[in-house]
Amino acid sequence: MAWRLWTTQVDEVDLVENAVYEEHQSRAGVNGTGPGSLMDPLEDPVPGLGTYEDFNTIDWVREKSKDRDRHREITKNSRRSTAALLHSISDAFSGWLLMLLVGLMAGALAGGIDIAAHWLTDMKEGICLDGFWFSHEHCCWKSSETTFKDRDRCPQWQTWGELITGTSEGAFSYILNYLIYIVWALFFAFLAVTLVRAFAPYACGSGIPEIKTILSGFIIRGYLGKWTLITKTVTLVLAVSSGLSLGKEGPLVHVACCCANILCHLFTKYRKNEAKRREVLSAAAAAVGVSVAFGAPIGGVLFSLEEVSYYFPLKTLWRSFFAALVAAFTLRSINPFGNSRLVLFYVEFHAPWHLVELVPFIFLGIFGGLWGALFIKANIAWCRIRKTTRLGRYPIVEVLAVTAVTALVAYPNSYTRMSGAELISELFNDCSLLDSSQLCGYLQPANISETGIGNSLADRPAGPGLFTALWQLALALLFKMLITVVTFGMKVPSGLFIPSMAVGAIAGRLLGVGMEQLAYYNHDGLIFKGWCTPEADCITPGLYAMVGAAACLGGVTRMTVSLVVIMFELTGGLEYIVPLMAAAMTSKWAHIRLNGYPFLEPKEEFEHSSLAVDDSMTVGGVEALVESTRYSGFPVVVSQESPRLVGFVLRRDLLISIDNARKRQDGVVGASLVVFSEHPPAQAPDGPPPLRLRGIMDLSPFTVTDHTPMDITVDIFRKLGLRQCLVTHNGRLLGIITKKDILKHMAQIANRDPDSILFN
């Protein structure tokens, strides 16, 4: 592969005798304003200097150095006055205050999103007569006629067919409910995609891949802005309520990051330093985002460490934990789930799991890994079709078409009609003796005595509805697998956590029901002997659903440790960590990895074979070079004959400095030399004044030799967060390697299209 390498000779910087330099300065005049004066545009702060252009990578080393200098200056000044001491103390606690504000804001938004999405989802099926703003569950809470057995039925809640026709029975009422369900779904989807296209195109999708890229140092202007936050919050509610196969958990991570980015502007320390801001974003991305999405603060911190963060110092760990607790407390205070608990899917299984059950758990892990690999490949292929065909030109039509198909197919099946979170909660259900869940209706009731426990075995034999229940679940599984592939990636906010968990939960429930019946009819067999007792069920199908959900989520996201913690926080099932670990690890091993984002993992040998050398530079030459290239920076060498490396200068800083110099002094023209040396050469007194830009040059750029292996180079880029690295041979500059060059090279090695790399 021919690397994109270049060197730029800017000016002769041969050492000059001090006497010659002093003579040159004396000719310029004492005040330094003569025709041959050496102009330094950096005497006063220049607006925009040291900032980055859109779709560029930050310089982590420079940002960390800036923060050290700022902290050193604050510490030095704190000894001089009381005001400076108070400023130092406020600076030290600003990070904790910022985390508090982020947790409060993200928790409040998440609670509002949960309540609004629940309300609009129920509105597709009916309305509460006591108040249209009540969801189905809240409406029946207020009713005195609601019973435990029929807790989802109350006279205050009426379906649209019942409200219009006066009866809930009959084909006409069913068809009317069917049509209104589709109309509401299309209306919500249309509003969502229209608002995204009109106000914030960055609000579509999950946001987690782009946030991982931003945390690695990439600049995407507007991705975490206020319009993106407002639009994503509103359209996320609409997209979830439309019934599309998507979740709100991934987008909630994006929402939390938007909150953090906006609040960072209140504090100078984080507003003016991109590296410090990314510490806050790391905490918000997972700790706050996952905490409010799942009610899993500890799992959120681990998720940030395992999957999201690029730079995660120890102090960020503590602040992440604090922010996650604040967000979880805020969400708990709002109580959006209505169960006085923080967890989304609380379970309470009454039967222990058996060691032999690890075998089906491992099979669920294999299924999850294979499903994850299949989903990624199928979704990538569908996205490629979307880009290469006319389908990608009409995102509104695509969203409406997928919504219509989803609503048409989902409504007749009660399992696909309910929301993803409601379906998963139903699949996790325990089916205890007194439970009236729909999933337990296919079982024959046990011989229950007055105390609630009969003499027969606790598990119940299959009733006449078993085949119907299994058939509906199987159809729901196929539908969820297919529709999720075409849904993810559309121009609406869409998370992948809940659909992935739904697929795994359905598969796990099917396997659990099979094991339940097998254990009941073979309870005296060698394997199942002693499992069934009058006090406890032989098998818990809900546990299989929980393990399957974890397996599929791990297969799609490639999480392991944080996934297990999130799952037991999500369900409250601490005693089922071992089955979850077995499924998560098996899913990880079975998953076929597929990379498409700028993360440096493969290790190949590095070779470079191209070199470009430019002529000496004046101001006009620099401007011509910048206009004719797209490079973000240029190395500085001694001369063309002696290309010894001196430093590195950024393109943006060059342009800002030249523009500022021309505003300050009219004598700077295209023929003025650009000087990067500390002692510039003598110049004719009547010549144009040179422009001194040594102050914007990085005098210690990172370098590698031309014999450095690729694995070492990749490791340097990944651990130091570099945007470029210079290549030298015996001190002579050969060229430059950028992060994008490495990504292109690795894409070619993997037989992928190098232009498919994100933000190339």
Side-chain angles (χ1 to χ4, degrees):
M1 173 184 176
W3 291 98
R4 183 176 70 214
L5 305 174
W6 70 88
T7 60
T8 304
Q9 180 182 358
V10 180
D11 187 28
E12 293 283 346
V13 289
D14 295 329
L15 295 178
V16 183
E17 295 294 336
N18 290 336
V20 177
Y21 177 71
E22 292 173 359
E23 181 182 356
H24 171 75
Q25 291 295 87
S26 64
R27 291 176 181 177
V30 178
N31 57 6
T33 58
S37 64
L38 186 65
M39 183 175 181
D40 187 356
L42 303 178
E43 293 175 355
D44 298 322
V46 180
L49 195 64
T51 58
Y52 304 95
E53 295 179 346
D54 200 9
F55 296 100
N56 276 271
T57 304
I58 70 171
D59 190 334
W60 286 88
V61 177
R62 185 175 72 168
E63 296 298 315
K64 295 174 188 176
S65 178
K66 284 168 53 179
D67 183 64
R68 284 195 299 268
D69 294 341
R70 182 197 60 82
H71 188 266
R72 191 180 297 114
E73 185 69 19
I74 291 177
T75 304
K76 180 180 177 182
N77 293 335
S78 64
R79 304 170 185 172
R80 298 178 179 177
S81 65
T82 304
L85 178 61
L86 293 176
H87 174 67
S88 175
I89 295 175
S90 65
D91 180 80
F93 281 94
S94 61
W96 295 98
L97 177 59
L98 179 57
M99 289 292 97
L100 174 66
L101 296 176
V102 171
L104 291 173
M105 185 176 179
L109 284 176
I113 289 172
D114 286 329
I115 294 173
H118 194 184
W119 168 56
L120 291 181
T121 300
D122 289 344
M123 187 176 287
K124 293 185 301 181
E125 299 187 41
I127 192 171
C128 183
L129 300 181
D130 288 346
F132 71 92
W133 54 88
F134 289 121
S135 66
H136 190 175
E137 187 176 10
H138 290 169
C139 184
C140 290
W141 277 356
K142 299 174 64 65
S143 175
S144 59
E145 303 178 35
T146 303
T147 62
F148 177 79
K149 183 177 181 180
D150 296 323
R151 53 187 178 272
D152 60 340
R153 298 178 184 178
C154 61
Q156 287 80 8
W157 177 267
Q158 291 188 358
T159 63
W160 293 109
E162 185 179 1
L163 184 66
I164 296 174
T165 63
T167 178
S168 60
E169 305 295 334
F172 180 73
S173 179
Y174 179 84
I175 294 175
L176 192 60
N177 286 329
Y178 200 166
L179 293 176
I180 294 178
Y181 180 91
I182 296 174
V183 170
W184 274 118
L186 292 173
F187 177 67
F188 292 152
F190 176 76
L191 281 182
V193 68
T194 304
L195 291 175
V196 167
R197 285 178 54 83
F199 296 102
Y202 282 151
C204 67
S206 169
I208 291 182
E210 289 79 8
I211 287 172
K212 292 172 70 174
T213 307
I214 291 174
L215 292 179
S216 71
F218 209 73
I219 300 290
I220 310 179
R221 303 289 182 195
Y223 197 83
L224 302 176
K226 58 180 180 300
W227 277 112
T228 303
L229 173 62
I230 296 172
T231 306
K232 187 124 189 176
T233 301
V234 175
T235 56
L236 177 58
V237 173
L238 294 170
V240 172
S241 304
S242 67
L244 289 168
S245 183
L246 48 84
K248 60 181 182 295
E249 285 66 29
L252 278 176
V253 175
H254 188 187
V255 168
C257 278
C258 289
C259 296
N261 184 65
I262 293 171
L263 292 173
C264 276
H265 287 80
L266 301 177
F267 303 87
T268 305
K269 178 168 67 173
Y270 298 100
R271 182 177 68 249
K272 294 186 176 181
N273 192 293
E274 294 290 345
K276 295 294 293 182
R277 187 184 305 183
R278 275 155 179 76
E279 292 181 15
V280 178
L281 294 179
S282 295
V288 178
V290 174
S291 179
V292 298
F294 290 114
I298 300 176
V301 177
L302 293 177
F303 177 73
S304 183
L305 282 168
E306 183 179 3
E307 286 294 321
V308 177
S309 295
Y310 190 87
Y311 174 65
F312 204 83
L314 183 61
K315 59 182 177 181
T316 303
L317 175 65
W318 288 108
R319 291 175 180 175
S320 300
F321 187 70
F322 172 70
L325 289 180
V326 173
F329 174 78
T330 305
L331 189 67
R332 170 64 180 81
S333 301
I334 297 175
N335 192 22
F337 309 130
N339 56 6
S340 299
R341 298 188 180 98
L342 181 63
V343 298
L344 183 59
F345 310 117
Y346 180 77
V347 297
E348 189 176 353
F349 299 136
H350 298 87
W353 63 278
H354 304 273
L355 187 61
V356 180
E357 290 184 277
L358 283 177
V359 176
F361 293 157
I362 290 176
F363 277 112
L364 285 176
I366 295 175
F367 171 79
L370 294 177
W371 153 245
L374 175 64
F375 170 80
I376 290 176
K377 288 194 173 184
N379 186 252
I380 291 294
W382 179 255
C383 290
R384 191 174 291 116
I385 293 174
R386 182 186 290 129
K387 285 184 177 181
T388 56
T389 62
R390 298 182 63 183
L391 181 63
R393 303 178 186 176
Y394 307 102
I396 296 179
V397 175
E398 180 191 8
V399 171
L400 293 179
V402 175
T403 304
V405 172
T406 303
L408 281 168
V409 179
Y411 187 83
N413 191 332
S414 58
Y415 298 127
T416 55
R417 186 194 313 168
M418 62 182 67
S419 65
E422 186 181 358
L423 173 63
I424 295 172
S425 180
E426 191 78 5
L427 291 167
F428 286 179
N429 190 57
D430 186 20
C431 279
S432 59
L433 295 181
L434 298 179
D435 201 297
S436 60
S437 170
Q438 180 180 354
L439 278 167
C440 307
Y442 62 82
L443 296 173
Q444 296 279 12
N447 182 20
I448 303 176
S449 64
E450 294 181 357
T451 61
I453 300 176
N455 297 323
S456 63
L457 296 176
D459 267 35
R460 285 146 292 178
L466 175 62
F467 179 78
T468 302
L470 295 181
W471 177 246
Q472 288 183 341
L473 280 176
L475 290 179
L477 176 62
L478 293 176
F479 174 71
K480 282 288 183 181
M481 294 175 68
L482 293 175
I483 204 66
T484 303
V485 170
V486 298
T487 302
F488 193 70
M490 295 194 307
K491 299 301 181 182
V492 293
S494 55
L496 194 56
F497 284 12
I498 289 297
S500 301
M501 291 179 64
V503 170
I506 295 174
R509 188 78 190 199
L510 288 171
L511 181 60
V513 170
M515 290 291 296
E516 179 188 42
Q517 296 301 308
L518 186 65
Y520 178 82
Y521 288 106
N522 298 275
H523 56 270
D524 292 330
L526 180 62
I527 297 178
F528 303 105
K529 189 174 183 179
W531 286 20
C532 303
T533 63
E535 292 80 14
D537 292 339
C538 308
I539 297 291
T540 305
L543 174 60
Y544 285 75
M546 185 172 71
V547 172
C552 283
L553 184 57
V556 173
T557 63
R558 303 194 299 272
M559 295 189 299
T560 50
V561 178
S562 59
L563 172 63
V564 173
V565 177
I566 288 173
M567 286 302 299
F568 87 72
E569 282 191 279
L570 191 65
T571 60
L574 182 61
E575 64 272 23
Y576 300 104
I577 286 183
V578 174
L580 292 173
M581 290 174 61
M585 286 303 300
T586 309
S587 174
K588 179 84 170 182
W589 293 333
H591 180 76
I592 301 174
R593 304 182 64 182
L594 185 139
N595 270 334
Y597 289 96
F599 283 88
L600 308 176
E601 296 184 27
K603 297 181 179 180
E604 305 293 340
E605 292 301 318
F606 161 68
E607 296 180 0
H608 67 86
S609 58
S610 63
L611 181 66
V613 180
D614 296 327
D615 298 328
S616 300
M617 288 291 149
T618 60
V619 170
V622 170
E623 291 178 324
L625 174 68
V626 171
E627 291 178 359
S628 61
T629 63
R630 299 174 55 192
Y631 305 143
S632 60
F634 306 91
V636 181
V637 296
V638 172
S639 66
Q640 182 176 2
E641 293 76 17
S642 177
R644 182 169 56 85
L645 178 64
V646 177
F648 188 84
V649 63
L650 294 175
R651 168 199 185 101
R652 182 177 177 84
D653 291 353
L654 272 175
L655 292 176
I656 293 176
S657 300
I658 293 174
D659 183 65
N660 180 69
R662 282 182 168 157
K663 290 179 180 178
R664 284 175 151 188
Q665 185 172 342
D666 295 335
V668 177
V669 295
S672 300
L673 286 178
V674 179
V675 178
F676 287 97
S677 62
E678 186 176 0
H679 302 293
Q683 192 170 349
D686 56 347
L691 181 60
R692 184 175 183 180
L693 297 180
R694 185 177 178 84
I696 68 171
M697 183 174 61
D698 182 6
L699 297 174
S700 58
F702 281 88
T703 61
V704 295
T705 69
D706 54 337
H707 298 296
T708 304
M710 180 63 173
D711 57 345
I712 301 297
T713 304
V714 169
D715 209 35
I716 291 174
F717 270 81
R718 181 173 59 244
K719 292 185 176 180
L720 297 180
L722 302 183
R723 60 188 303 186
Q724 71 276 319
C725 187
L726 305 180
V727 183
T728 61
H729 178 74
N730 294 333
R732 296 166 60 90
L733 179 68
L734 297 182
I736 181 171
I737 306 173
T738 67
K739 189 176 183 180
K740 294 179 183 178
D741 294 324
I742 292 182
L743 293 169
K744 285 184 178 181
H745 182 57
M746 292 191 300
Q748 291 179 349
I749 291 175
N751 294 322
R752 297 202 310 267
D753 180 11
D755 293 331
S756 66
I757 298 297
L758 185 65
F759 305 128
N760 190 27

